[in-house]
Amino acid sequence: MAPIDNVLSRADENLPASLERLFELVRIKSISTDPAFKADCRKAAEYLVTVLTGLGFEASVRDTSGHPMVVAHHEGEKADSPHVLFYGHYDVQPVDPIELWETDPFEPSIKEDEKGRKIITGRGTSDDKGQLLTFVEAVRAYKDVKGALPVRVTILFEGEEESGSPSLKPFLEANKAELKADFALVCDTSMWDAETPAISAGLRGLVGEEIVVKAASRDLHSGYYGGAAANPIHILSNILDGLHDETGAVTLPGFYDGVEETPADIKAKWEELGRTGEDFLGSIGLSIPSGEKGRSILELTWARPTAEVNGIIGGYTGGGFKTVIAAQASAKISFRLVGKQDPAKIRESFRAYVKSRIPADCSVEFHEHGGSPAIQLPYDSPLLNKAREALSQEWPKPALMIGMGGSIPIVGDFQSMLGMQSLLAGFALADDRIHSPNEKYNLESYRKGIRSWIRIMAALAA
Amino acid sequence: MAPIDNVLSRADENLPASLERLFELVRIKSISTDPAFKADCRKAAEYLVTVLTGLGFEASVRDTSGHPMVVAHHEGEKADSPHVLFYGHYDVQPVDPIELWETDPFEPSIKEDEKGRKIITGRGTSDDKGQLLTFVEAVRAYKDVKGALPVRVTILFEGEEESGSPSLKPFLEANKAELKADFALVCDTSMWDAETPAISAGLRGLVGEEIVVKAASRDLHSGYYGGAAANPIHILSNILDGLHDETGAVTLPGFYDGVEETPADIKAKWEELGRTGEDFLGSIGLSIPSGEKGRSILELTWARPTAEVNGIIGGYTGGGFKTVIAAQASAKISFRLVGKQDPAKIRESFRAYVKSRIPADCSVEFHEHGGSPAIQLPYDSPLLNKAREALSQEWPKPALMIGMGGSIPIVGDFQSMLGMQSLLAGFALADDRIHSPNEKYNLESYRKGIRSWIRIMAALAA
C-alpha cells in the first residue's frame, strides 16, 4: 500500500462532515440503564448501521434480549490482510443531575474551553460515541482515497456497556465464528495527557452489587419508635463503613486472593511519571489519596482493587426535615478487581459479609449488576508494539504503556470466549467528565484520533 | 354548671357535621416543610379562623416570618373561670412515598379496617388536624347546649410543628401577655391502647441536624478515580456508624450528661404493663429492640435518648447502575433527648465529632433543624389528676400516666417562656401511621376525644 499522507489529509478535509455525524449520534438519547430510553438505543444502532452501510460494510442491527448490537463486516485489500474486530458502545450514562449541565447534554456544540482548546460538548461525546467514530471516520478516509482497507474489519457496537453488558456474553457465544478475528481494537480509554497517547495493558475488573436493607414494614415516626425499632440506614452505614479498615484496605474475607504486587520495573516507570496526589486530584478539588495507605496514585488506580459505594438512599431526602425511621435503605456498591481476583468469589464473600450484619428481624435483598475479571496483557506483544509506534508518529510525545482504573468487561470476554487479545487505545482525557455533567471530547482528540487509527491500520498491515 | 350529659349527647349528635369540618381541613394540603404548599398553609389557618369565629371566638390569622399562627380568645362562664391555652398544629408531614397510599392523602374518607373499626383516612387526620378539632368540637357542643364555656379559652394553632417551629419562640416572646394562661392543653399525643387513655408526663426533646459531606468538585468515574479520590458516602457511613457503640449507646462526648435513671417505682409500673419487643414491634414487622442493650421497650422509647438517621442520599440512586463517585452525600440526623440534656451542647458535640471525621481535603456543611429540651412534669400535680379522672370516666379503662418518645417543643417553650405547665392528652393510636403513608384516625378516637375534652373542661372548672 502506498504512503498514507493523502489518507491523513483526507481525514482532515472530512472533519466538518465527520463532526456532523458525531452530532447526529450524540443527539440520540441512548441511555441504556433507563428503560424510558429503549427506543433511542435502537435508533442509535440503526443510525450506525446506515453510516456503516454507506461505507461499504455489510451491516445490520442484531436483536438481543436487551438493547441491540450492531455487527458489520468489510473485506481487507488482500485475502491475507490481518483481520481486526473493532469494538465500541453507542449507549451512554444517565445525565442527572441535569441542572449542573451548562449545555443540553443531547444538543452537542463546539465551544472553547478556558485554555482556548476547542471542545465538543454533550453526553457520550467522549464515552463512547466520539471515540467509536474515530475508527469509523478513519475507515471513511481510507475508502475515499484508496477505495479499500489495509485490514479486514469486523465491527461490534453494543448498547449496554453502561449497564453491565448483560447481553454481550450470550451474543458472543452465539456468534463466535462470525466475530472471531486476529485481535480486537477497543477505543474506550484515555490518553496519558493531551500530548501523550497511551495503550492500556492492564484493566481493572468490576463487580456491581445493589443491596436493599429492609427493617420495619413501613416508615415509622422516630419519636414513637426511635430507640426501639431497627433503623435500616444505621444497618447500612455499619455495613458500608465496615468494608474498609483503618489502612484503607478492603475487609472482605478472601478479597485480596489473586492480587499480585506490580513488578518493580513497572512500578519504577510509573514513579518516573511523577504523578502526585495533588497532580491527579487537584483538578477535582482534592489533594490526598484516600485509598490504601502507602501506595502511589498510579498503583492505587491501576494496580490495586477497590470497594466503592456509588449510590445510597433511604428515609426522607426532600427539603426540610422529617423525623422518620425508614422501612428500607439501599446502596449500590462496586468492586474494581486486579490480577486474578475472581468476580464470583468476591460477590459471594460480599453477600456473606452483608448478611452477617443484618439483625435477625430484618432482611436484605441483593441485585447483581455485572461482573468481570481484570485483564493484564503482555507488555512485549508485537500488536502493542506496532500500535505504540503508529501512535507515537501522530502525537507530540511517544505513546506510553499504562494500567487502567476502569473496567471494560468485553476485553475479558474477547480473551476467554474468542481467544483474542485486545489493543486498547483511546483519545479521551482525564478532564472529559465522562459519567458526569458537562461531558466533552476535545476536537483535537477527535481529529487526531481519526488520524491515529489510519496510522494503526496501516502499521498492522505492514 | 349543670351536669354535662346533655353536652356529651350533643357532641354525638354533632358528629356527622364535625366530621365534615375535619374533612374540609384535611383537604387543605398544608405541608409546612415544602415551600410549594405555602399558600395551602395559610388557607388552613384561614379555615380555622372561620370555624372559631363561628363559635364566638375572637379569632385571627397572625403573620410570622414563616407560616401564620391562629390565635383565638373566648371568655369563660365566670370572671374567675380557669384560663386554658389550647395548642394544636394545622400543618402536616409530606406524603411521599405517594405510591404507597391506598387512598388520596388529601381526600379523606371513612373506611372500615381489618378489625371492623371505622377509620378516617388522610394525611393529618391523626397528626394533628383530627386531634385539634376534638377540642374545637367539644367547645361547639358546650356552646350549643350551655351557651357558655366552663373555662376561659385561648387557642394557639401553629403551622410549622412538622418543620421545627422556627417562628414559635419569637411569636410567644412577642405575645406573652396575650397567650399566658393558667396552663396549657396540648392534643398531639397517643393513647396507651384503644381502650386506655394516657396523659404524658414526660416528653423527649429533639435536636435536628442535616450534614452535607463534600469531597470532589464534581461527580467522578469510579474506575478512573476509584481508590484515590475521597468518597463522601464512605465518609458519611463512617460518621453515622460511629454514632453508636456495640451496646447501642450513643458515642458523642457528653451525650449522656443530664440523663437520669428512671425512678424504680415508675420503672416497676411500666414493667407491670408487660409490653415486650414483640408487642411493640410486631405490628410493624419487627421483634428485637434495637437500641441500648439491657433496657425495656418502654424505657427505650420514653426515658432514654437516641440518635437516629432520618434520611440519607448520595451518588446514583436511579434504576440500574452508575459507576460514579459522588461529589457529595448528605444525611438528616435527629437526637431525642431526655432529662436535662442540653440541646445546644449536644449539637455542638455532634458537630465537633463530625468535623473530626472529615478528611483534610474534604468539607462538611451543617444545617440546623430545630432543638428543644425534654420535659418532665410532676406526677402528682392537681391538673394532671383532674384530667386523669375525667378521661377515666369516658374510656373503658382508667387513664395512665406515661412517658412519650416524641418531642413537642412547644411544651418546653410554654414552661420556660410563659411559666405554664401543659396537660398532654391525645387520642391517637400507635397504628395511626403518622408521618407515613395511609395515616388514619379512628372514628372512635375522634368521637370520644371530643367527649373527653368536654369532661376535662368541666373537671377543670369544678
Side-chain angles (χ1 to χ4, degrees):
Chain A
M1 200 123 184
I4 53 167
D5 288 356
N6 42 358
V7 181
L8 296 170
S9 311
R10 181 61 181 232
D12 286 346
E13 287 157 28
N14 283 349
L15 191 63
S18 302
L19 269 172
E20 206 35 67
R21 283 182 285 270
L22 172 55
F23 279 25
E24 274 203 61
L25 185 56
V26 171
R27 284 186 195 111
I28 304 171
K29 303 175 179 178
S30 47
I31 301 171
S32 60
T33 56
D34 188 337
F37 297 93
K38 189 168 163 36
D40 300 85
C41 288
R42 175 165 293 271
K43 203 174 146 196
E46 284 165 353
Y47 174 75
L48 288 165
V49 164
T50 305
V51 167
L52 292 169
T53 304
L55 285 171
F57 280 82
E58 192 192 314
S60 55
V61 171
R62 305 278 283 268
D63 286 334
T64 71
S65 58
H67 301 300
M69 304 280 174
V70 171
V71 176
H73 299 284
H74 196 293
E75 284 308 303
E77 191 184 19
K78 299 176 193 161
D80 64 348
S81 293
H83 180 191
V84 302
L85 173 70
F86 181 85
Y87 165 89
H89 64 90
Y90 65 76
D91 64 319
V92 299
Q93 284 272 328
V95 296
D96 58 290
I98 184 72
E99 65 276 11
L100 297 186
W101 285 80
E102 287 161 18
T103 60
D104 186 328
F106 296 112
E107 194 41 69
S109 63
I110 303 280
K111 291 179 34 174
E112 213 164 85
D113 72 3
E114 60 286 354
K115 295 176 193 155
R117 301 174 308 181
K118 289 218 162 94
I119 60 172
I120 312 163
T121 65
R123 174 56 90 223
T125 49
S126 175
D127 181 19
D128 184 45
K129 289 171 172 177
Q131 301 247 64
L132 72 82
L133 284 183
T134 56
F135 185 80
V136 173
E137 295 297 321
V139 164
R140 181 184 305 278
Y142 243 117
K143 289 291 298 278
D144 283 355
V145 173
K146 308 276 187 184
L149 295 179
V151 291
R152 180 177 157 201
V153 176
T154 296
I155 280 179
L156 174 64
F157 294 146
E158 73 157 319
E160 299 178 326
E161 201 273 343
E162 303 294 6
S163 50
S165 300
S167 308
L168 193 61
K169 280 189 193 194
F171 191 79
L172 291 184
E173 187 61 42
N175 299 280
K176 265 184 184 170
E178 182 181 358
L179 297 170
K180 172 88 175 90
D182 298 330
F183 43 80
L185 307 180
V186 176
C187 191
D188 197 16
T189 54
S190 296
M191 314 236 298
W192 170 253
D193 61 28
E195 300 197 310
T196 317
I199 295 170
S200 304
L203 283 113
R204 292 199 287 195
L206 181 72
V207 167
E209 280 277 290
E210 184 168 357
I211 63 175
V212 185
V213 176
K214 299 186 168 194
S217 51
R218 59 175 175 84
D219 285 359
L220 306 173
H221 186 290
S222 76
Y224 190 80
Y225 284 102
N231 184 327
I233 303 179
H234 297 190
I235 299 166
L236 190 57
S237 299
N238 176 260
I239 288 167
L240 300 179
D241 188 44
L243 279 175
H244 294 90
D245 67 19
E246 63 281 4
T247 71
V250 176
T251 58
L252 298 183
F255 184 74
Y256 290 95
D257 291 355
V259 178
E260 279 169 21
E261 285 297 320
T262 308
D265 57 327
I266 303 287
K267 256 198 202 176
K269 270 197 185 156
W270 291 351
E271 264 156 43
E272 275 168 33
L273 294 171
R275 182 173 276 187
T276 66
E278 297 267 352
D279 294 337
F280 185 63
L281 301 170
S283 68
I284 54 165
L286 298 172
S287 58
I288 308 168
S290 75
E292 292 176 275
K293 295 202 201 316
R295 305 269 179 188
S296 75
I297 277 285
L298 293 184
E299 261 196 287
L300 287 172
T301 53
W302 290 352
R304 299 297 301 174
T306 66
E308 293 283 350
V309 186
N310 304 113
I312 189 167
I313 188 164
Y316 182 67
T317 59
F321 209 88
K322 191 171 168 185
T323 48
V324 72
I325 298 178
Q328 66 175 53
S330 64
K332 298 177 202 269
I333 298 116
S334 60
F335 300 92
R336 299 281 168 177
L337 312 187
V338 302
K340 296 191 165 45
Q341 282 180 298
D342 179 338
K345 282 193 182 157
I346 282 170
R347 192 185 304 281
E348 200 181 317
S349 177
F350 173 68
R351 290 185 175 189
Y353 160 79
V354 169
K355 284 180 196 160
S356 75
R357 295 197 171 206
I358 302 289
D361 59 348
C362 298
S363 64
V364 61
E365 261 178 25
F366 295 96
H367 301 276
E368 180 172 337
H369 288 281
S372 62
I375 294 290
Q376 187 65 50
L377 298 182
Y379 284 91
D380 55 0
S381 101
L383 167 65
L384 297 195
N385 282 328
K386 282 182 183 178
R388 177 155 62 164
E389 257 175 59
L391 286 169
S392 299
Q393 280 161 19
E394 176 62 27
W395 297 84
K397 293 192 181 164
L400 283 176
M401 302 288 231
I402 63 170
M404 251 202 73
S407 305
I408 307 185
I410 186 74
V411 176
D413 298 334
F414 286 161
Q415 182 116 47
S416 63
M417 299 174 71
L418 305 186
M420 287 190 295
Q421 287 192 354
S422 297
L423 172 70
L424 295 155
F427 312 100
L429 291 173
D431 67 355
D432 278 354
R433 292 184 288 271
I434 66 169
H435 295 207
S436 294
N438 300 311
E439 180 175 348
K440 60 90 179 163
Y441 197 46
N442 283 21
L443 182 58
E444 200 64 355
S445 288
Y446 195 50
R447 188 181 75 86
K448 290 176 91 68
I450 295 167
R451 293 169 54 97
S452 295
W453 286 119
I454 291 168
R455 292 186 191 274
I456 290 171
M457 281 192 277
L460 292 175
Chain B
M1 200 123 184
I4 53 169
D5 288 355
N6 43 359
V7 182
L8 295 171
S9 312
R10 181 60 181 232
D12 288 345
E13 288 158 26
N14 283 351
L15 191 63
S18 301
L19 268 172
E20 207 35 66
R21 283 181 284 271
L22 172 54
F23 279 25
E24 275 202 62
L25 185 55
V26 171
R27 284 187 193 111
I28 304 171
K29 302 176 181 179
S30 47
I31 301 171
S32 60
T33 57
D34 187 337
F37 297 94
K38 190 169 164 35
D40 300 84
C41 288
R42 175 165 293 270
K43 203 175 145 196
E46 285 165 353
Y47 175 76
L48 287 165
V49 164
T50 306
V51 168
L52 292 170
T53 305
L55 285 172
F57 280 82
E58 193 191 315
S60 55
V61 172
R62 304 278 282 270
D63 286 334
T64 70
S65 58
H67 302 300
M69 304 279 175
V70 171
V71 176
H73 299 283
H74 196 293
E75 284 308 303
E77 191 184 22
K78 302 176 192 160
D80 64 351
S81 294
H83 180 191
V84 302
L85 172 70
F86 181 85
Y87 165 88
H89 64 90
Y90 65 76
D91 64 321
V92 298
Q93 283 273 326
V95 296
D96 60 290
I98 184 71
E99 65 277 12
L100 296 185
W101 284 80
E102 287 162 18
T103 60
D104 186 328
F106 297 112
E107 193 42 68
S109 64
I110 303 278
K111 290 179 35 172
E112 213 163 85
D113 72 4
E114 60 287 355
K115 295 176 193 156
R117 302 175 307 183
K118 289 219 162 92
I119 59 173
I120 313 164
T121 65
R123 174 56 92 221
T125 50
S126 176
D127 181 20
D128 183 48
K129 289 171 171 177
Q131 301 246 63
L132 72 83
L133 283 183
T134 56
F135 185 81
V136 173
E137 294 298 321
V139 164
R140 181 184 305 277
Y142 243 115
K143 288 292 299 280
D144 283 355
V145 173
K146 309 276 188 184
L149 295 180
V151 290
R152 181 179 157 199
V153 176
T154 297
I155 280 179
L156 174 64
F157 293 147
E158 74 158 318
E160 299 178 326
E161 200 273 342
E162 302 295 4
S163 49
S165 299
S167 308
L168 194 62
K169 278 188 192 192
F171 190 81
L172 291 184
E173 187 62 43
N175 299 281
K176 265 184 183 170
E178 183 180 357
L179 297 171
K180 171 89 176 92
D182 299 329
F183 42 81
L185 308 179
V186 176
C187 191
D188 197 15
T189 54
S190 296
M191 314 235 299
W192 170 252
D193 60 28
E195 300 198 310
T196 318
I199 295 171
S200 304
L203 284 113
R204 293 198 286 195
L206 181 71
V207 168
E209 280 278 287
E210 183 169 358
I211 62 175
V212 185
V213 176
K214 300 185 169 198
S217 51
R218 59 174 175 85
D219 286 358
L220 306 173
H221 186 290
S222 76
Y224 190 80
Y225 284 102
N231 185 326
I233 304 178
H234 297 189
I235 298 165
L236 190 58
S237 299
N238 176 260
I239 289 166
L240 300 179
D241 188 44
L243 279 174
H244 295 91
D245 67 18
E246 65 282 5
T247 72
V250 176
T251 57
L252 297 182
F255 184 74
Y256 290 96
D257 291 356
V259 178
E260 279 170 21
E261 284 298 318
T262 308
D265 57 328
I266 304 286
K267 258 199 204 176
K269 269 196 186 158
W270 291 352
E271 266 157 42
E272 275 169 33
L273 294 171
R275 181 172 277 188
T276 65
E278 297 268 352
D279 294 337
F280 185 63
L281 301 170
S283 69
I284 54 164
L286 296 172
S287 58
I288 308 167
S290 74
E292 291 176 276
K293 295 202 201 315
R295 305 270 180 187
S296 74
I297 277 285
L298 293 183
E299 261 196 289
L300 286 172
T301 53
W302 291 353
R304 299 297 301 174
T306 67
E308 294 282 351
V309 185
N310 304 113
I312 189 167
I313 189 165
Y316 182 67
T317 58
F321 209 89
K322 193 172 168 184
T323 49
V324 72
I325 298 178
Q328 65 175 54
S330 64
K332 297 178 201 269
I333 298 118
S334 61
F335 300 91
R336 297 282 168 177
L337 313 187
V338 303
K340 297 189 164 47
Q341 280 180 299
D342 179 339
K345 282 193 182 157
I346 282 170
R347 193 185 304 281
E348 199 181 320
S349 177
F350 172 69
R351 291 185 174 189
Y353 160 78
V354 170
K355 284 180 195 159
S356 76
R357 296 199 169 204
I358 302 289
D361 58 348
C362 299
S363 65
V364 61
E365 261 178 23
F366 296 96
H367 301 277
E368 180 171 335
H369 288 282
S372 62
I375 293 290
Q376 187 64 52
L377 298 182
Y379 283 90
D380 55 358
S381 102
L383 167 64
L384 297 195
N385 283 328
K386 281 182 183 177
R388 176 154 66 162
E389 257 175 59
L391 285 170
S392 299
Q393 281 161 18
E394 176 61 26
W395 296 85
K397 293 190 181 165
L400 283 176
M401 301 287 231
I402 62 171
M404 251 201 71
S407 305
I408 307 185
I410 185 78
V411 176
D413 297 335
F414 287 161
Q415 182 116 49
S416 63
M417 299 173 72
L418 305 186
M420 286 191 294
Q421 286 193 354
S422 297
L423 172 70
L424 294 156
F427 312 100
L429 291 173
D431 67 355
D432 278 354
R433 291 183 289 272
I434 66 170
H435 295 206
S436 295
N438 300 310
E439 179 174 350
K440 60 90 180 167
Y441 196 45
N442 283 19
L443 182 58
E444 200 63 357
S445 288
Y446 194 51
R447 188 181 77 88
K448 291 177 90 70
I450 296 167
R451 292 169 54 98
S452 295
W453 287 119
I454 292 169
R455 292 187 192 273
I456 290 171
M457 281 193 277
L460 293 175

